[in-house]
Amino acid sequence: MFILITMLTWQCFQPTVLAQIPNSDSSKKIKTIESYRVNSPSGDKDHVSSEHFDDLGNLVKSFSYNNYPNDYTAETNCTYDAKGNKKCITTDENGKETYRYEAKYAGESLVEEKTTYDSKKFSYDDYGNMILEEEYDSDGNFSKSEKNELAYWEGTTDLKMKTTFFKRGDGDFEKYSEANYIFENGVLKEETVVASFFRYEYYYEYFPNGNLKEKISLMDKTEKVVTKYNEDGQRRVEGIFRIKDTEMKLDQKNKWTYDKHGNEVMVESFRNEKLDSKTIREITYY
């Protein structure tokens, strides 16, 4: 159980970095993305998913293949209103609804999420950083909440400290973690997140154009991730180091490839210098 909680926490506290997203090249809009998992060493392709976008870049239909159990195909259809609010309904092969997702925005900020199983509400400070997240079950009963107390570097909108508190049910808010940030000329250089049972550290380097060049992530003393980016700010190569025989050794290497429009078309993962997994994306454009 502790290992699972630690893994989930590591994922939750990964810092927000601009990831490669569809339609990164504004001159070329994505129409479809077909994703395949390539089996090694045969080279056979398993169809993983199919995504369809409108000419505004919104995902309107997707198919997920070979789902558990029985390898069924799930279809998701999404609609958007004039304010950008989103509603998606997932059905199985018989047309039966299996999952529903709704998102409501105020400007660019997500203020409410509803799913088949629960709902969440979000509040933000004047700088657009989240200060409160409340979660409710499917019947509308309060479940848990996360509150952030934020402090900024004097005279700036740069975060200096974030203290996170959790509350469950009728209990009181209890301190969970504290994050500290170091900026240079308005650019984030270091970030440290500490709780009672973990310590995460992040270090950032940038290209002269301001895009991220390298990120180093440390999980206590057990894992180190070094991610290098190209000058467009896209992930290029990543090394994951883990403790083996009391030493930090390279355990996994990931590599990303992009098309001429800057969209991701292949991800390769290597272990012991051998290809372990590969995913390819076939993209069509408007």
Side-chain angles (χ1 to χ4, degrees):
M1 177 63 72
F2 175 78
I3 294 175
L4 176 59
I5 293 175
T6 302
M7 292 175 63
L8 291 175
T9 307
W10 172 242
Q11 294 170 353
C12 291
F13 281 92
Q14 287 297 300
T16 301
V17 177
L18 291 178
Q20 181 61 20
I21 58 175
N23 301 327
S24 61
D25 182 348
S26 59
S27 65
K28 205 71 173 175
K29 297 295 184 181
I30 289 179
K31 187 175 184 179
T32 64
I33 300 176
E34 303 291 341
S35 298
Y36 300 86
R37 185 182 300 110
V38 180
N39 294 320
S40 181
S42 69
D44 295 337
K45 296 192 302 183
D46 290 332
H47 205 173
V48 176
S49 64
S50 176
E51 300 168 282
H52 301 255
F53 300 84
D54 63 20
D55 56 6
L56 296 177
N58 296 314
L59 177 66
V60 293
K61 184 187 290 288
S62 66
F63 297 90
S64 175
Y65 304 103
N66 303 316
N67 292 284
Y68 178 84
N70 304 324
D71 294 333
Y72 76 92
T73 297
E75 177 180 339
T76 301
N77 289 276
C78 299
T79 57
Y80 304 80
D81 65 18
K83 296 182 179 180
N85 299 321
K86 179 179 180 179
K87 179 184 292 185
C88 297
I89 298 175
T90 301
T91 56
D92 61 18
E93 292 175 323
N94 297 316
K96 180 181 178 181
E97 181 178 321
T98 58
Y99 187 72
R100 178 182 291 259
Y101 173 83
E102 298 180 27
K104 182 179 179 180
Y105 293 85
E108 295 183 357
S109 297
L110 175 64
V111 294
E112 188 173 358
E113 276 185 328
K114 291 183 178 180
T115 76
T116 303
Y117 308 109
D118 56 25
S119 63
K120 295 180 180 180
K121 295 181 179 179
F122 306 90
S123 301
Y124 303 85
D125 67 6
D126 293 338
Y127 302 121
N129 289 307
M130 190 185 74
I131 54 176
L132 184 65
E133 175 185 330
E134 298 174 299
E135 184 173 328
Y136 301 82
D137 64 23
S138 58
D139 294 322
N141 300 310
F142 176 80
S143 175
K144 58 185 177 181
S145 181
E146 173 184 324
K147 179 176 67 173
N148 295 318
E149 293 184 356
L150 308 178
Y152 294 86
W153 289 98
E154 186 176 356
T156 75
T157 59
D158 299 333
L159 269 178
K160 182 178 182 180
M161 180 184 296
K162 179 175 73 173
T163 306
T164 299
F165 301 83
F166 279 163
K167 174 183 178 181
R168 295 184 181 276
D170 296 329
D172 297 325
F173 276 105
E174 297 182 359
K175 183 177 178 180
Y176 180 71
S177 66
E178 181 177 290
N180 290 273
Y181 307 86
I182 296 178
F183 285 79
E184 291 183 7
N185 299 318
V187 177
L188 180 62
K189 297 290 290 184
E190 297 181 18
E191 178 180 355
T192 305
V193 183
V194 179
S196 61
F197 61 94
F198 68 81
R199 178 185 177 90
Y200 302 150
E201 300 175 26
Y202 308 97
Y203 301 90
Y204 306 90
E205 291 186 14
Y206 301 85
F207 288 104
N209 65 7
N211 287 332
L212 193 59
K213 181 179 181 180
E214 180 180 88
K215 180 182 73 176
I216 297 177
S217 307
L218 303 175
M219 178 184 178
D220 293 319
K221 297 181 180 180
T222 62
E223 183 172 291
K224 176 181 179 181
V225 181
V226 180
T227 309
K228 296 182 181 294
Y229 299 76
N230 60 30
E231 291 193 33
D232 294 322
Q234 302 162 321
R235 292 177 297 179
R236 180 172 57 85
V237 65
E238 179 176 79
I240 302 176
F241 300 79
R242 296 186 173 98
I243 290 292
K244 291 183 178 180
D245 301 324
T246 70
E247 293 184 22
M248 190 75 77
K249 297 181 180 180
L250 180 64
D251 181 59
Q252 181 177 337
K253 181 179 179 181
N254 301 320
K255 180 181 178 183
W256 288 265
T257 303
Y258 303 89
D259 66 11
K260 63 181 180 180
H261 304 296
N263 287 299
E264 180 186 296
V265 293
M266 183 167 65
V267 182
E268 298 170 288
S269 181
F270 300 85
R271 287 182 182 273
N272 299 319
E273 302 300 324
K274 295 182 179 180
L275 182 65
D276 184 60
S277 66
K278 179 164 69 172
T279 301
I280 60 175
R281 301 164 83 226
E282 298 178 354
I283 303 175
T284 62
Y285 294 89
Y286 281 99

